[in-house]
Amino acid sequence: MGTTMQTASDNTTRTRQARRRQQYRPFAPQGRETFFISTATVAAMLLLWWISTSLGWIKPLFLPSPAAVFAAFKHSLMGGVPGQPTLIENTTVSLARVFGAFLLAILTAVPVGLAMGTSRIANGIFDPLIEFYRPLPPLAYLPLVIIWLGIGETAKITLIYLACFAPLVIATKAGVRSVPVEQINAAFSLGASRWQVLRHVILRGSMPEIITGMRIAIGFGWTTLVAAEMVAANTGLGQMVLKASNFLRTDVVIMGIVVIGVMAFAFDLMMRKLETLLVPWKGKM
């Protein structure tokens, strides 16, 4: 009787502790709370921007007003400069470049990461090559890429591909190493083949890290794209900002920076949504 009561008391204590952990998670703020804080932060920054330009604290050459930047946005959207691409055309070109390279990186980096995580031979072959070029800034080997491939689309896509490839490989390899060996042994004991274990156990178990690597890779790819367009391109958001800076069009420069930042934020939101759809169990186990 005493043992039964003690067990019931322990179960009640565990239930209360679990409820408290669910109700109070100081390192995991809820989505609604984060949304309100982020909205208030953006509103405060816009208000400070408007006040500083309206009162003349900063000259328009250095910081145009929000109204001037919005006017530049509408002007560029409608093709305000004859013979120059519109904002939509520049954005479309940049998106085609970054997503083309990003998809190529996914198709090649994930298999390489899986091979490195499951094979010592593959890890010995690819690890020194990836670790050698991964810390290098993409603009450091941009001149070499231009010498080899010219200044066409192939060079830019290759540069973005290299920027996306290394983070995806490392994330996939880390995901493979994080799969519990008990799950792999259990699958083999149930008669699964090596291919079935790789597909249904290792790949699924690695998906959270792979999605994280995709989020990092798309950010690197977008940053590299804008930098490459400023050096070797005639179209794209980076080239648009560079041309505007040559004519001291600060309003267009800030408008381009805002568009680039909004697109990067949209990419991250897209990756978060993809993570929710593909790995709904992440953070719940």
Side-chain angles (χ1 to χ4, degrees), residues 118-167:
T118 56
S119 171
R120 294 180 179 178
I121 297 176
N123 186 64
I125 294 174
F126 291 105
D127 187 69
L129 300 177
I130 293 174
E131 291 299 330
F132 170 76
Y133 96 87
R134 181 182 63 85
L136 297 176
L139 292 182
Y141 47 83
L142 175 60
L144 185 61
V145 174
I146 293 177
I147 293 174
W148 287 350
L149 303 175
I151 59 173
E153 295 300 315
T154 304
K156 287 182 278 292
I157 292 177
T158 301
L159 192 71
I160 302 166
Y161 168 83
L162 292 174
C164 296
F165 183 79

Side-chain angles (χ1 to χ4, degrees), residues 212-228:
T212 301
M214 290 171 61
R215 291 178 61 183
I216 297 173
I218 192 67
F220 282 170
W222 187 244
T223 304
T224 304
L225 165 76
V226 175

Side-chain angles (χ1 to χ4, degrees), residues 45-260:
M45 292 178 62
L46 291 175
L47 180 62
L48 180 61
W49 180 12
W50 178 77
I51 292 175
S52 61
T53 54
S54 298
L55 298 180
W57 295 347
I58 304 177
K59 294 182 179 180
L61 176 62
F62 301 105
L63 183 63
S65 65
V69 174
F70 184 70
F73 173 77
K74 293 193 299 182
H75 193 65
S76 300
L77 200 63
M78 301 300 178
V81 180
Q84 295 294 331
T86 64
L87 178 61
I88 295 178
E89 292 173 344
N90 283 321
T91 304
T92 302
V93 170
S94 295
L95 290 177
R97 289 167 179 165
V98 72
F99 276 107
F102 182 60
L103 291 177
L104 287 175
I106 293 175
L107 294 176
T108 54
V110 173
V112 170
L114 291 174
M116 291 177 64
T118 56
S119 171
R120 294 180 179 178
I121 297 176
N123 186 64
I125 294 174
F126 291 105
D127 187 69
L129 300 177
I130 293 174
E131 291 299 330
F132 170 76
Y133 96 87
R134 181 182 63 85
L136 297 176
L139 292 182
Y141 47 83
L142 175 60
L144 185 61
V145 174
I146 293 177
I147 293 174
W148 287 350
L149 303 175
I151 59 173
E153 295 300 315
T154 304
K156 287 182 278 292
I157 292 177
T158 301
L159 192 71
I160 302 166
Y161 168 83
L162 292 174
C164 296
F165 183 79
L168 269 171
V169 171
I170 294 174
T172 305
K173 177 183 173 182
V176 173
R177 299 291 176 85
S178 67
V179 177
V181 69
E182 292 82 5
Q183 295 182 6
I184 299 176
N185 294 332
F188 278 125
S189 65
L190 293 174
S193 64
R194 185 176 180 84
W195 168 250
Q196 289 174 329
V197 171
L198 180 64
R199 178 183 176 185
H200 297 288
V201 179
I202 296 179
L203 182 59
R204 284 182 60 86
S206 306
M207 283 305 298
E209 283 74 15
I210 292 176
I211 298 296
T212 301
M214 290 171 61
R215 291 178 61 183
I216 297 173
I218 192 67
F220 282 170
W222 187 244
T223 304
T224 304
L225 165 76
V226 175
E229 288 179 341
M230 289 184 175
V231 176
N234 294 321
T235 57
L237 294 174
Q239 189 60 216
M240 182 189 71
V241 171
L242 181 62
K243 290 178 180 178
S245 67
N246 292 334
F247 294 97
L248 297 179
R249 288 294 306 276
T250 315
D251 53 347
V252 179
V253 172
I254 294 180
M255 180 271 296
I257 292 174
V258 171
V259 171
I260 292 170

Side-chain angles (χ1 to χ4, degrees), residues 253-272:
V253 172
I254 294 180
M255 180 271 296
I257 292 174
V258 171
V259 171
I260 292 170
V262 169
M263 296 299 299
F265 184 65
F267 293 158
D268 191 68
L269 291 179
M270 182 179 63
M271 290 294 108
R272 293 182 190 180

